Amino acid sequence: MTVTADQTSPMRRRDIADARADRSFRWLVSVAGLLVLLSLTAAALSMLWGGREAFEKFGLGFFWRDAWDPVLQDFGARVPIFGTLITSFIALLIAVPVSFGIAMFLTEIAPRWLRAPVGTAIELLAGIPSIIYGMWGLFVLVPFLSANVYPWIDANMGQWPVVGAVFRGPPLGLGMGTAGLVLAIMVIPFVSSVMREVFLTVPGQLKESAYALGSTRWEVVWDIVLPYTRSAVIGGIFLGLGRALGETMAVTFVLGNAHNLTLSLLEPGNSIAATIANEFAEADSPMYLSSLIALGFVLFIVTFVVLTIARLMLRQLKKREGY
């Protein structure tokens, strides 16, 4: 049977149209991906350019100098970097086990009728503006801690050898410990939501087989669920860490905003984001403004390093798992 040109031309035209649409779609998504990289690079370069005066004057010493004197035009990023890392570490120290417990409860223990309401409530917590967390921390959490918790910590844990200095200080209520606690409450919805979703991806046959062999619920979670979802869980934890590193308003309310390098969690401190938010409007000299913009570049570097470490850890885990 002979196929005429009239029969093949519509098919040919459709193939050409499909190929053109495919190329257009490829270019569109490529531009979208490159736009992210260009935006990230532009933001980093703009902060580096804005902070060039501070870097020219202080050099790399800007990263570890603890001076911050607008009158003498003497600036350094050591105290804000320290406060940012410590408060974020405290937040993860609290948020990770709590998030794990929430995710385990919702996927393994809670009855079905309770899972949806609790899961929805946790997701709603992630939508609360950070300034609300900050106001709650300042007007509710700070008075409670200063009156009921920090005096006991100072009197008892402050006397411990070696680590006592971490828990010793005036019970003001404001400080790195309070900031870390508020950050933990803000991070928990993100980390627990990721953990819950990845726990739900574990095949039911694996868990049922473990239960059939006599494993307890904890053994199933620890030996089956966590190894199966290890990479995704670590990714969720570092997602929460990224949220904690860049938080501004909530930390500004409860950190105390004192440019003071101290090991005590009970004393006021400072962070990169809080320093920029508090002092940007008061920068009355080019060097002062340049130092604040340089702090923004430092925060960019800190976040980039942390997320790079996360990617390297995930890559090593995938290699061990044979991917």
Side-chain angles (χ1 to χ4, degrees):
M1 180 178 177
T2 303
V3 180
T4 64
D6 292 337
Q7 292 174 311
T8 58
S9 59
M11 298 174 57
R12 178 62 177 168
R13 286 197 299 269
R14 178 167 182 176
D15 291 340
I16 294 173
D18 289 344
R20 187 181 296 114
D22 185 64
R23 285 194 300 269
S24 300
F25 178 74
R26 188 186 302 113
W27 278 105
L28 182 63
V29 296
S30 298
V31 169
L34 291 175
L35 182 62
V36 174
L37 294 177
L38 290 175
S39 300
L40 190 64
T41 304
L45 291 178
S46 64
M47 288 185 292
L48 180 60
W49 178 257
R52 69 188 185 280
E53 293 185 25
F55 288 124
E56 288 174 357
K57 180 178 180 180
F58 305 111
L60 294 178
F62 181 80
F63 288 89
W64 55 78
R65 300 178 77 255
D66 56 4
W68 193 268
D69 192 337
V71 177
L72 299 178
Q73 301 290 289
D74 191 14
F75 301 99
R78 182 179 176 184
V79 173
I81 291 175
F82 179 78
T84 300
L85 295 178
I86 292 299
T87 53
S88 300
F89 175 76
I90 295 171
L92 283 190
L93 197 64
I94 299 172
V96 170
V98 173
S99 299
F100 175 77
I102 292 173
M104 182 178 174
F105 172 75
L106 291 178
T107 57
E108 302 294 332
I109 299 175
R112 292 188 178 275
W113 61 268
L114 186 60
R115 294 181 183 181
V118 175
T120 303
I122 293 173
E123 292 174 355
L124 288 175
L125 286 175
I128 297 177
S130 60
I131 193 171
I132 302 300
Y133 282 107
M135 293 175 65
W136 170 80
L138 180 63
F139 296 115
V140 177
L141 189 60
V142 167
F144 174 79
L145 293 176
S146 63
N148 302 286
V149 179
Y150 284 168
W152 183 91
I153 290 178
D154 178 57
N156 295 274
M157 300 174 65
Q159 309 305 317
W160 290 356
V162 183
V163 297
V166 177
F167 305 103
R168 189 182 307 126
L172 302 175
L174 298 170
M176 291 189 292
T178 306
L181 181 57
V182 172
L183 280 178
I185 297 173
M186 298 179 64
V187 165
I188 284 173
F190 293 92
V191 180
S192 61
S193 295
V194 173
M195 287 187 177
R196 184 191 63 174
E197 294 300 324
V198 298
F199 285 177
L200 291 174
T201 64
V202 179
Q205 295 87 341
L206 290 178
K207 295 189 289 185
E208 292 170 2
S209 300
Y211 284 126
L213 292 174
S215 299
T216 62
R217 185 168 288 159
W218 168 253
E219 289 172 337
V220 169
V221 172
W222 189 256
D223 297 327
I224 303 297
V225 176
L226 270 183
Y228 190 88
T229 60
R230 184 185 297 129
S231 298
V233 167
I234 293 177
I237 292 173
F238 277 93
L239 176 66
L241 177 59
R243 175 83 165 92
L245 287 171
E247 178 52 44
T248 303
M249 293 310 301
V251 174
T252 303
F253 272 87
V254 299
L255 187 55
N257 306 309
H259 205 82
N260 182 33
L261 188 64
T262 175
L263 292 176
S264 176
L265 301 181
L266 276 62
E267 294 188 18
N270 220 334
S271 70
I272 296 176
T275 301
I276 296 173
N278 280 323
E279 303 185 26
F280 199 83
E282 302 174 1
D284 54 0
S285 66
M287 181 57 66
Y288 195 180
L289 181 61
S290 178
S291 298
L292 291 174
I293 298 176
L295 273 184
F297 181 74
V298 171
L299 181 59
F300 179 89
I301 295 297
V302 170
T303 306
F304 179 78
V305 170
V306 169
L307 295 182
T308 300
I309 293 173
R311 296 299 302 174
L312 292 176
M313 290 179 60
L314 293 176
R315 183 177 299 178
Q316 291 297 322
L317 286 175
K318 290 181 179 179
K319 287 182 178 179
R320 293 178 184 176
E321 294 170 359
Y323 293 105

